[in-house]
Structure formats: C-alpha cells, structure tokens
Amino acid sequence: MSKQKPIQIFSDSTELCVNVVKSPAKLIILEMLRDRDMEFDEIVANIGKSKSTVSVHLKNLREDGIISYRMHPADNRKKIFYLNSKYLGSVNLSEPKELEETQADYLIKNIVEGDGQFSTLLFHTLKAMLIQEGINIDPILKSTGNQIGKSLFNKLYDEDLDVFMNNLSKFWSKKGLGMLNFEIGQIIKIIIVDCFECELLPKTGKPACFLDAGIMEGLFTEFFKLPVSVIETQCYTMGDGKCVFEVEPQSVKTH
C-alpha cells in the first residue's frame, strides 16, 4: 500500500472558517508560499505544471480564502501571491505511530503514580496521543507560545539585555520549566537543561520544542521590535542532553 501524504489544515483570514487541503499540487504551492511570497511565473517554474493548471489551483485557493495576491510594484501586469491564512497543522492518515517509552500507558502511569508535575505529564500525554493518531499540532504550539511570550514580556522586560535574560532564566526555573542559561552575541544562544516540553518524548532525530520556540519568538520580537528567527539546533529528541535555541533579529521586509 502506498504511503499517504498528510493533509494540511488552514484557517482563513477571518479565522471563522477552517480549510482542509488534500491536493498534492496545492500542497506544494502552499509549502512554497509558507516560505515566501512568490510571483506566478516562479510558482509555475517550481511546481512543474502548466500555467493553466497552476492558474486553476491558485484560483481555487483564493476562493477558499487561503491565499491572496497583490500587484507587482514595478510591473502591474504581474501578480505576487502570498498566504492569506494561518497554517494550523497537518494530519497523517497513514498507520498510527508507536512512541516507545512515551506510549499512553507509560505516561498515564507517571501521572497517577509519579512525583512529577501533574500539568507537565498531562501535556506530554496529550501530545503523545495526538502524535499516535497522526495529528501534528506543532504549528499551533508555536503560535500559542508566541502569544505566551508576548504576554510575559512586560513582566520580564528590562532595557538591559543581560538583565532581561536573567529575568527569563529565573522565571524558567521558578515555574519548573527547566534550567535556562544563555550566551549573548550577534546570535543569542539559549540553553535549556531538563526541558519540560520534550524530556519525556522519544528520540525522533528532530527538534520538538515548538511551544518553547514560540515563547522565545514572542519575547524577543517584543524586545527588539523586529521579527526574530528562532531555530532549535539541539533537543532531547535529537539525542542531545539539552535543548539549544538560536535567536537572531531579522531585517524588516518592505514591499
């Protein structure tokens, strides 16, 4: 049996409607537009379909409120397409995954009998069950983390970056989220040991701390008043003994 590709879920710009996208060609277009805005000819060149086929897909996606376009500033005969909706995640319809030590019975036993924080174990159980069902909530976790970070900002803020980072470190420890250290340079490196988000998850070879990454993104976007890039370079789920995030302010794009 051939492996099924996941479907992807988007909310429209009003957030009142959810769209499920299954078409492989449309999914390729949306993957490209999630990275950056693109002209029609760029999309055609990258997807390898005829102009008429691409045009139909773009029309359908516009009618569903998932994408939109603006005219090229230097040539009003050209359209630049962009994502006009929020990516909520994906659902894998293939066989559910087995999660080794994070199977539901393991986590539930820890909730009932263990000494760990009840809320943390509940979080891991919910995430593990969703993974087993093939449901990817990583984009929602990151978006939620971003809002948490922005809400935390005023509580932790100091105009001195070192003081701000020390405030964050104390908050992380006080709330039982792990031990947070940092290195400040052109890129801010944040090191977390005993990470609450991923320590109990299986070794997948991929980073798993999307809630943490979202929190960092929200905090540092507010601090620098600029968009920031947050990349998790090490993680317990990658076989590392810590989680490491690299935070870098980005220049503002103008259209």
Side-chain angles (χ1 to χ4, degrees):
M1 189 173 93
S2 61
K3 184 179 177 182
Q4 280 187 285
K5 291 186 176 182
I7 62 176
Q8 294 189 9
I9 306 169
F10 295 81
S11 66
D12 67 13
S13 56
T14 67
E15 299 192 1
L16 298 175
C17 179
V18 172
N19 294 284
V20 176
V21 181
K22 299 179 182 179
S23 161
K26 289 179 182 176
L27 289 175
I28 293 171
I29 292 171
L30 292 171
E31 286 285 349
M32 293 190 293
L33 293 180
R34 279 170 57 196
D35 290 335
R36 63 183 179 89
D37 303 349
M38 297 183 75
E39 295 179 27
F40 176 77
D41 287 341
E42 286 184 282
I43 296 172
V44 172
N46 280 279
I47 198 173
K49 302 283 186 181
S50 69
K51 287 187 176 183
S52 59
T53 298
V54 173
S55 183
V56 170
H57 287 315
L58 291 173
K59 181 176 182 291
N60 293 155
L61 290 170
R62 290 202 320 276
E63 289 173 347
D64 288 338
I66 300 175
I67 68 169
S68 189
Y69 70 86
R70 62 180 180 275
M71 305 313 297
H72 195 291
D75 187 346
N76 60 16
R77 294 171 299 177
K78 295 181 179 180
K79 296 175 180 176
I80 298 175
F81 292 88
Y82 60 90
L83 206 58
N84 192 40
S85 57
K86 183 184 293 183
Y87 173 56
L88 298 181
S90 61
V91 179
N92 192 332
L93 300 178
S94 58
E95 288 297 314
K97 301 175 182 177
E98 291 296 325
L99 293 181
E100 301 172 359
E101 73 266 30
T102 57
Q103 291 173 352
D105 56 350
Y106 170 84
L107 284 165
I108 291 169
K109 183 179 179 181
N110 272 274
I111 287 176
V112 176
E113 301 176 5
D115 297 324
Q117 289 192 349
F118 190 75
S119 58
T120 300
L121 289 166
L122 281 174
F123 171 79
H124 282 294
T125 303
L126 174 61
K127 188 169 182 178
M129 289 299 294
L130 289 169
I131 292 171
Q132 283 183 278
E133 295 301 321
I135 301 172
N136 172 24
I137 61 166
D138 294 340
I140 296 174
L141 287 174
K142 188 169 183 182
S143 177
T144 302
N146 192 296
Q147 294 304 312
I148 292 171
K150 289 178 178 178
S151 298
L152 279 175
F153 177 72
N154 288 332
K155 181 181 178 69
L156 304 177
Y157 176 69
D158 191 282
E159 63 182 13
D160 185 308
L161 181 56
D162 283 284
V163 176
F164 176 61
M165 293 299 304
N166 275 309
N167 291 343
L168 176 60
S169 180
K170 291 175 185 176
F171 175 86
W172 220 256
S173 177
K174 181 180 178 181
K175 296 299 182 182
L177 304 177
M179 295 180 290
L180 186 151
N181 293 295
F182 56 90
E183 299 170 7
I184 296 178
Q186 186 172 355
I187 295 176
I188 300 170
K189 185 177 288 187
I190 298 172
I191 304 101
I192 300 176
V193 178
D194 298 332
C195 177
F196 86 99
E197 186 172 0
C198 71
E199 195 176 20
L200 288 179
L201 294 178
K203 305 298 182 288
T204 62
K206 298 178 181 179
C209 300
F210 292 91
L211 185 66
D212 281 354
I215 293 172
M216 303 302 172
E217 184 178 277
L219 283 169
F220 288 99
T221 295
E222 293 295 307
F223 184 88
F224 291 111
K225 306 300 181 189
L226 287 170
V228 297
S229 165
V230 179
I231 299 174
E232 187 176 12
T233 59
Q234 295 182 53
C235 186
Y236 282 96
T237 57
M238 297 167 70
D240 303 308
K242 58 189 174 183
C243 295
V244 178
F245 301 85
E246 293 186 354
V247 181
E248 183 177 14
Q250 304 294 295
S251 59
V252 178
K253 294 180 179 179
T254 57
H255 297 296

